[in-house]
Amino acid sequence: GERRALTAIQSVVFCAVVGLFCSTLNLAFLLGASISDAAEDAGVSPIVSADVIWLFAFCIAGAINCVYAAVLIHRGGSWALFVCDSNATRRWGVCVISGFAFSGHIHIYGTASNLLGGSLGPVIAWPTLMCSTMVFGQIWGLKLREFVAGDHGQVANGLATALLCFAIVLCSCAAIV
């Protein structure tokens, strides 16, 4: 059967709820389509109309993550490391770069999905985003020496990443059918 489209208000509420559960941000994109449509009706370019969805989802997700991080920092008594340590400027810089990189790659996902069009866009763009994120995470793990290349943990981690990428692609293929 044909799926019922959500109203713009329903999409905003849904995006806010999804933002509370950050791991489900893709659902905000998939079910927030009426927000994107409303943005296009208001004259926003179709290429960037998905950014309106991310505005709602990221604001909620960001607030939740900031509160959680603040609680952990407070419990650990490490607030002073953010302002008094000689590496504080570097840490703040890394945080800002990480924030831009994360939101940037989600923006690229939304734009790529819109450019690919229809239901095919998210089916191709989401697994590409997720798999590349995991692979680059592995590369950065090696660079930051979280593990040593070739040790048992790294091999298991690499195999788990490959399995997750396979599962993501398989689920996306199932969505086409």
Side-chain angles (χ1 to χ4, degrees):
E2 198 169 306
R3 206 170 49 184
R4 182 179 74 87
L6 300 175
T7 67
I9 297 298
Q10 288 172 322
S11 291
V12 168
V13 170
F14 189 81
C15 287
V17 170
V18 167
L20 292 172
F21 305 101
C22 300
S23 63
T24 61
L25 279 173
N26 185 44
L27 294 177
F29 182 73
L30 293 174
L31 297 173
S34 62
I35 297 173
S36 182
D37 294 341
E40 288 177 29
D41 291 344
V44 173
S45 167
I47 294 174
V48 294
S49 62
D51 290 348
V52 179
I53 297 169
W54 301 133
L55 172 69
F56 292 107
F58 278 172
C59 286
I60 301 296
I64 297 298
N65 280 306
C66 286
V67 168
Y68 180 65
V71 167
L72 293 179
I73 291 167
H74 180 73
R75 282 185 188 163
S78 54
W79 280 110
L81 294 175
F82 281 95
V83 291
C84 300
D85 187 88
S86 62
N87 289 324
T89 303
R90 181 179 172 279
R91 284 192 192 105
W92 279 103
V94 169
C95 287
V96 168
I97 290 169
S98 296
F100 277 114
F102 176 75
S103 58
H105 93 288
I106 294 290
H107 168 73
I108 291 169
Y109 157 64
T111 301
S113 290
N114 283 344
L115 289 172
L116 288 168
S119 60
L120 188 60
V123 169
I124 292 173
W126 185 250
T128 302
L129 171 86
M130 292 305 297
C131 293
S132 63
T133 300
M134 288 188 288
V135 169
F136 279 108
Q138 293 296 311
I139 292 168
W140 276 108
L142 282 171
K143 180 168 175 34
L144 296 172
R145 295 188 177 103
E146 291 179 359
F147 42 79
V148 178
D151 74 5
H152 295 296
Q154 191 272 329
V155 171
N157 206 355
L159 290 172
T161 298
L163 182 62
L164 281 171
C165 286
F166 175 75
I168 290 167
V169 170
L170 189 63
C171 288
S172 289
C173 290
I176 295 173
V177 176

